[in-house]
Amino acid sequence: MTATAKTSDSQSAQEQPHQSLLSFISTSRLTAWTLAFALFAFYSLYSYFQYVHYHTPSWDLGIFSQLAQEYSQLHFPPIVDIKGSGFNLWGDHFHPILIILGPLYALFPSPATLLYVQNALVAYSAYLLCRYAQQVIPPIGAITLTIAYGLSFGVQNAVSVQFHEVAFALPFLCASLGNIVLSQKTSESVKNLKRACYWAMPIAFVKEDLGITVATIALVIAIRAGTITSIHQRLFPSASSAPPVPQRMLHATRTINRHDGSLHAVLLLFWGIMWSLLSVLVILPAYNSGGVFDYSDKLNLSEILSDPLQSFGLLFYPWQKTLTLVLLLFSGVFLWVLSPLALIALPTILWRFLSPHESYWAPTWHYSLVLMPIVFMALLDGLLSMHRFAPLRYLSAKAQHLFALSTQRAQELTRTSFLWLAFLIVIVSFPYQPLWKITHTGFLSSSLSVEEYEKQQALESIPAHSSVASDLSLLTYLVPEHQVFWIGDKTHNAHPQYVVIDRAGGGWGKSAPKDPAHYARKYFGGNYREYQRFGTIYVLERVGA
């Protein structure tokens, strides 16, 4: 080898890491990360001031904080006293993925940690959505789609009601569905469909109902791979001289064994169904003190199947359900329902709207969060398949005629127009969404109101490492340094040293106890006296044995 060749090889070796770094920090990747960090910063700003001002929408953050605390201390199974004295949370919902919270909480032992974890999951899912979109549509379209997703009503409501386990599903949904979208536009469609299967698998460990969502993803993958069509053709051939039924079934089975992702889809189908059934019928009852699945009353399958027509009507009435459906349709500018990916939203929509519990029907809370990746990935998929739908072909042809464009440019213009419409819908609706509160006077102030300062004083007055029963006013904030019970626990198994009652708030409504000490004696036994009082907040201390 000559000296010149050696020098050239040396320079090439030195340039490779530099080129690799430049490749990693590409414009498209940098754009996606910028959008993700902007969303994380925006939501974290909201979460920070929501937490600082003692805004507590529910007891859920307190429950998950106790769970994270238990995992951080390697306590298995986790006992979450807010849910009930000595309550084993493994008997409540199936969410083994939350064990990830243990190390994070050990490093940052605060309920606020969970808020930032959720915001990071939302932001990372937005990054993934943007990266997949950049591969199939122009950059500006990917940006508008990402912003529309990141500020959608389902995401905003979930952030406003604080941490819930379903946030962990978002990155996996975006990665799985993103690969399904790519499968119709790349030369590696089989690899994309297999990757979609792999990314969908962990979703089953987020919550017990999401195993059915995983199974639905498997069906969509089978549709995209052509498995459903092939099986149908082999089972029901059009030829008059069709082979016997056993032979047709054998041919259909061989279809599944093809190297096109069909086998992966079938295995994923069984994987999702298996984990949902195992969790509801075996795992949750095994850890539940009553030996049952606590949420079995949320859906009456026999009643639903006995009257399908009535069940169909219940998907739209009461009108909170129709409002939620309309918001879902508008979020994806109606086009998302044209994609097979829209089928993946059905399990969540069905269990929510066929349940008799009103809290599931409205577009508020966190129940629409897992639908958002589905809606926007389905919108992207639908726009890429616009040649299959007559109305979209018509609009594209009009654009081609009016602006003298090529067919490809007309299709790109039509896609971009719909993406801008989705963006516009989010911007117009933003003042009516929960995070509009960030514009309110005083929300971004670090100074506390009189009521908030009284809560801070009450919190500081309770000795560390003591047991406390509290209403919503301080429930979550007591978790890091106390054994905390919810004051509404009627099991009579808790005997806390202190009881906190905020007569003007704390979730009491108009039923706040007139005599807090009497209330504490009635529900927790023993004798309680007023230890401290800060405005409307009573801190009661247990005295005697």
Side-chain angles (χ1 to χ4, degrees):
M1 182 180 291
T2 66
T4 304
K6 288 181 179 179
T7 303
S8 177
D9 289 345
S10 176
Q11 288 176 346
S12 178
Q14 290 174 358
E15 288 174 0
Q16 279 180 2
H18 181 64
Q19 291 173 346
S20 178
L21 182 63
L22 287 176
S23 175
F24 180 79
I25 311 176
S26 62
T27 302
S28 57
R29 196 185 297 268
L30 186 61
T31 300
W33 277 122
T34 301
L35 289 171
F37 278 123
L39 287 169
F40 176 77
F42 177 65
Y43 284 132
S44 295
L45 183 69
Y46 177 89
S47 297
Y48 172 79
F49 284 102
Q50 183 192 44
Y51 191 79
V52 164
H53 291 298
Y54 292 91
H55 294 173
T56 307
S58 74
W59 67 346
D60 290 345
L61 181 58
I63 289 172
F64 288 116
S65 296
Q66 277 193 338
L67 174 70
Q69 186 180 60
E70 288 284 282
Y71 283 152
S72 71
Q73 297 169 0
L74 301 180
H75 293 167
F76 303 106
I79 302 302
V80 175
D81 289 314
I82 290 178
K83 188 73 177 177
S85 180
F87 189 90
N88 180 352
L89 205 66
W90 283 358
D92 186 48
H93 283 299
F94 181 69
H95 38 51
I97 200 167
L98 293 189
I99 199 168
I100 295 171
L101 295 175
L104 297 172
Y105 193 89
L107 291 171
F108 309 101
S110 166
T113 300
L114 275 65
L115 302 181
Y116 301 127
V117 167
Q118 177 168 266
N119 296 341
L121 291 166
V122 169
Y124 185 59
S125 69
Y127 166 80
L128 290 173
L129 183 140
C130 187
R131 290 293 292 142
Y132 285 112
Q134 287 169 339
Q135 297 179 59
V136 290
I137 58 176
I140 190 63
I143 292 172
T144 54
L145 181 71
T146 304
I147 295 174
Y149 163 73
L151 297 179
S152 59
F153 81 93
V155 173
Q156 287 203 46
N157 278 284
V159 170
S160 72
V161 297
Q162 302 182 331
F163 179 85
H164 289 88
E165 73 274 63
V166 289
F168 274 94
L170 301 189
F172 297 113
L173 279 169
C174 284
S176 180
L177 273 55
N179 274 289
I180 297 176
V181 172
L182 290 185
S183 69
Q184 65 166 320
K185 281 293 180 180
T186 66
S187 58
E188 298 183 336
S189 60
V190 174
K191 287 185 178 180
N192 287 131
L193 292 177
K194 289 180 179 180
R195 288 175 191 145
C197 291
Y198 299 143
W199 281 114
M201 291 175 68
I203 299 172
F205 299 130
V206 175
K207 200 160 173 275
E208 62 275 1
D209 63 286
L210 289 178
I212 304 303
T213 298
V214 170
T216 313
I217 292 174
L219 287 175
V220 172
I221 292 171
I223 292 172
R224 186 55 54 89
T227 309
I228 304 295
T229 303
S230 297
I231 290 175
H232 182 269
Q233 289 174 347
R234 282 161 176 75
L235 286 177
F236 307 102
S238 55
S240 56
S241 57
V245 173
Q247 191 173 347
R248 281 185 270 162
M249 293 180 67
L250 180 62
H251 290 165
T253 305
R254 287 174 179 169
T255 299
I256 297 173
N257 289 324
R258 296 180 313 179
H259 299 290
D260 60 357
S262 300
L263 181 59
H264 287 70
V266 171
L267 292 175
L268 183 66
L269 176 73
F270 285 107
W271 171 269
I273 294 173
M274 176 190 73
W275 279 112
S276 276
L277 291 178
L278 272 177
S279 60
V280 170
L281 300 178
V282 180
I283 299 172
L284 293 173
Y287 287 105
N288 187 279
S289 58
V292 296
F293 174 50
D294 274 343
Y295 301 92
S296 57
D297 63 332
K298 305 298 184 187
L299 203 63
N300 191 331
L301 288 177
S302 59
E303 186 176 312
I304 292 167
L305 296 174
S306 65
D307 194 344
L309 188 61
Q310 181 187 25
S311 298
F312 180 76
L314 287 174
L315 292 174
F316 306 94
Y317 184 82
W319 301 119
Q320 299 101 306
K321 301 175 182 179
T322 300
L323 173 61
T324 302
L325 288 173
V326 168
L327 283 174
L328 287 171
L329 289 171
F330 269 97
S331 295
V333 287
F334 291 83
L335 295 183
W336 69 278
V337 297
L338 299 178
S339 166
L341 274 68
L343 295 172
I344 301 167
L346 278 179
T348 299
I349 292 173
L350 289 175
W351 77 252
R352 281 179 62 187
F353 291 176
L354 294 177
S355 169
H357 292 263
E358 296 180 18
S359 60
Y360 297 153
W361 305 340
T364 52
W365 291 94
H366 58 288
Y367 300 114
S368 295
L369 182 60
V370 295
L371 297 177
M372 296 299 99
I374 301 170
V375 167
F376 287 94
M377 280 295 187
L379 170 60
L380 179 61
D381 189 67
L383 288 173
L384 293 176
S385 309
M386 58 186 300
H387 58 281
R388 301 176 187 172
F389 308 111
L392 294 181
R393 288 199 304 270
Y394 173 79
L395 291 173
S396 180
K398 278 291 184 183
Q400 185 177 2
H401 175 71
L402 286 173
F403 303 108
L405 300 172
S406 65
T407 302
Q408 183 178 354
R409 288 290 297 151
Q411 288 180 351
E412 287 181 2
L413 178 62
T414 305
R415 291 190 191 106
T416 304
S417 299
F418 276 104
L419 292 170
W420 274 109
L421 183 57
F423 174 80
L424 184 63
I425 288 170
V426 165
I427 298 303
V428 170
S429 64
F430 190 74
Y432 306 98
Q433 296 301 330
L435 268 69
W436 183 252
K437 189 183 293 184
I438 211 167
T439 66
H440 292 180
T441 304
F443 184 82
L444 297 181
S445 171
S446 57
S447 59
L448 302 180
S449 67
V450 174
E451 292 80 7
E452 291 161 1
Y453 182 65
E454 289 169 351
K455 289 181 180 180
Q456 185 183 72
Q457 287 181 301
L459 183 64
E460 293 173 350
S461 72
I462 302 171
H465 311 298
S466 57
S467 59
V468 190
S470 175
D471 57 21
L472 288 182
S473 60
L474 294 179
L475 185 75
T476 298
Y477 298 84
L478 288 161
V479 169
E481 296 185 349
H482 305 84
Q483 181 185 13
V484 186
F485 303 90
W486 181 48
I487 202 166
D489 179 13
K490 300 299 191 293
T491 62
H492 304 288
N493 293 326
H495 304 287
Q497 295 168 276
Y498 295 89
V499 174
V500 177
I501 294 176
D502 182 0
R503 295 190 65 240
W508 293 100
K510 296 181 180 180
S511 60
K514 296 179 180 179
D515 185 347
H518 174 73
Y519 182 93
R521 286 193 293 270
K522 178 181 178 182
Y523 284 103
F524 299 110
N527 188 26
Y528 286 88
R529 66 173 178 84
E530 186 177 308
Y531 173 68
Q532 297 275 5
R533 180 181 174 185
F534 305 93
T536 60
I537 302 175
Y538 290 77
V539 180
L540 308 167
E541 181 185 29
R542 187 181 183 92
V543 293

